[in-house]
Amino acid sequence: MTDGADDRLPTRVQTPRLLLRCWQHDEASILGDLVEGNVEHLRPWMPWIKFEPQTVTERVALIETWTRQCEEGGDVVFGTFFDGIAIGSCGLHRRVGAGALDIGYWIADDHTRRGFATEITSALTTTAFGVAGIERVEVHTDEANEASAGVPAKLGFHRDRVIEKEPTAVAESGRSVIWTMAQADWC
């Protein structure tokens, strides 16, 4: 995964309104309630929703997997908390190759259109560029998901390319837009 402590991803990020921190195994019910309350909101764009509902035991195991990945220097998955309440989840992922991180995010339906996804993506971009060896940050959105694409566009990410891929969620077009930000271009 990684070679040293300076290239490890953080386990906590504070934004002006949000706390992003790793999910804890004792929060499996909180995460479960959040996901279950947003299944129809998430179904169009999130391929993992097909595995819902999960039992508390399955969700604990998932959180423990995320914890282990983080401890081993891999991906980090954060709960997104507003005024102490979980309103979504996000992450920094090492799935796009050396020198780069990919940001993923979702916000509960009753908290959308308040700028939270933009705030998260801005903070995680700044955080990513503070990690040794990271020179590029990516956000991947389906071409049909205009709301999600608005986030990197608003932050000045470059619409780098479109990749044809098999749709994995019900509303996906099969065209994944790759938005990129180079460290030198991030203010």
Side-chain angles (χ1 to χ4, degrees), residues 14-179:
Q14 184 74 52
T15 78
R17 299 181 294 166
L18 303 169
L19 172 62
L20 314 177
R21 63 167 175 74
C22 290
W23 287 103
Q24 304 298 308
H25 73 277
D26 61 351
E27 295 174 319
S29 293
I30 294 168
L31 177 57
D33 290 345
L34 183 62
V35 170
E36 289 171 23
N38 285 279
V39 167
E40 294 312 312
H41 169 63
L42 297 171
R43 185 177 314 283
W45 309 113
M46 300 296 168
W48 51 263
I49 206 71
K50 65 186 167 197
F51 300 110
E52 295 298 333
Q54 291 188 11
T55 65
V56 171
T57 301
E58 290 170 324
R59 205 163 308 277
V60 167
L62 180 61
I63 292 170
E64 288 175 350
T65 297
W66 293 338
T67 301
R68 196 169 34 261
Q69 288 173 340
C70 181
E71 289 171 350
E72 292 172 355
D75 294 355
V76 62
V77 177
F78 300 106
T80 302
F81 297 87
F82 175 64
D83 288 339
I85 306 296
I87 64 163
S89 197
C90 59
L92 287 169
H93 306 281
R94 294 186 183 273
R95 59 190 170 207
V96 292
L101 291 171
D102 171 29
I103 296 173
Y105 48 83
W106 66 268
I107 300 294
D109 191 32
D110 61 346
H111 284 83
T112 59
R113 302 289 183 202
R114 297 191 201 177
F116 291 131
T118 303
E119 187 171 328
I120 289 164
T121 303
S122 178
L124 290 182
T125 301
T126 297
T127 299
F129 288 137
V131 175
I134 300 303
E135 299 168 359
R136 186 180 80 253
V137 173
E138 296 184 0
V139 174
H140 297 199
T141 63
D142 188 85
E143 192 170 60
N145 190 342
E146 293 175 10
S148 191
V151 172
K154 181 185 277 187
L155 292 171
F157 277 65
H158 170 69
R159 183 179 163 131
D160 187 58
R161 64 196 180 282
V162 176
I163 297 173
E164 302 286 334
K165 68 180 195 70
E166 190 68 32
T168 55
V170 298
E172 286 184 339
S173 67
R175 294 176 52 84
S176 182
V177 179
I178 313 304
W179 299 87

